Amino acid sequence: MRIGDAAAAAGMTPRALRYYEQRGLVTARRTPSGHRVYDEEDIRRLRVVRELRDAGLTVGDVRAFAHLLRTVPADGVPDLLPQAPRSGACSAAEAVARRRLADLDARIARLSLLRARLAARLGEPAAEVTEPAETGGTGRAGADSGPLFRLETGPAPDGRALRA
């Protein structure tokens, strides 16, 4: 099937499918005229990638164990990511998923702290939040968390008045 049909069957856009192809998560075959074509195995693999992305893994995470994607049964991801905590065999996929989970926990803690600080500056009550232990209170929640800043009143350190 062609890219539009394959993307629809996998529950994504053609643009996303091309992106996953560029990242090596699926390989399209080409017709003599150069059109991409996909088979049912490609669709199954793309559905697994979509499920893993929906679960919070990044494309880089999925690439770390892409070689395992062909072994995932048609009924899904649970066989790739064991649901029993510390199930004995720590697969590459499980290790990556556990690192991503820890990263998400750290980001949530950092964002909760930033929210509490901002709420306090606005005079709103906020739940008690402590500094994330992993970062010693100095780390950032992630590339998209924005700059850290302080809201000050009064003169700037160089003596000039701050604008409100």
Side-chain angles (χ1 to χ4, degrees):
M1 69 182 74
R2 296 242 176 127
I3 192 168
D5 295 330
M12 61 184 62
T13 65
R15 183 176 179 178
L17 199 159
R18 281 190 290 275
Y19 176 75
Y20 295 145
E21 184 180 345
Q22 289 171 348
R23 298 295 179 247
L25 297 176
V26 69
T27 303
R29 283 149 307 284
R30 299 284 183 153
T31 65
S33 62
H35 294 281
R36 292 174 170 92
V37 290
Y38 302 89
D39 61 21
E40 287 303 316
E41 174 59 23
D42 296 322
I43 303 308
R44 186 195 61 75
R45 186 179 178 109
L46 288 165
R47 285 179 180 148
V48 169
V49 168
R50 190 193 71 232
E51 283 184 54
L52 293 168
R53 296 277 294 126
D54 289 348
L57 296 177
T58 67
V59 171
D61 293 337
V62 176
R63 284 187 67 204
F65 55 84
H67 62 285
L68 299 173
L69 295 179
R70 64 181 139 71
T71 66
V72 177
D75 61 346
V77 173
D79 290 341
L80 183 62
L81 299 175
Q83 293 187 0
R86 308 282 180 207
S87 60
C90 185
S91 69
E94 185 177 5
V96 169
R98 289 193 184 283
R99 279 195 308 271
R100 179 58 50 207
L101 187 60
D103 177 63
L104 289 170
D105 287 342
R107 291 174 71 183
I108 289 167
R110 182 67 186 152
L111 288 171
S112 295
L113 177 65
L114 292 174
R115 188 204 181 285
R117 285 180 181 168
L118 184 56
R121 294 289 182 176
L122 294 172
E124 294 181 8
E128 185 176 326
V129 179
T130 59
E131 297 280 336
E134 300 82 24
T135 62
T138 60
R140 303 247 335 250
D144 60 350
S145 64
L148 299 178
F149 59 90
R150 291 183 64 108
L151 298 176
E152 302 280 346
T153 57
D158 62 5
R160 295 179 305 170
L162 294 175
R163 291 187 206 174

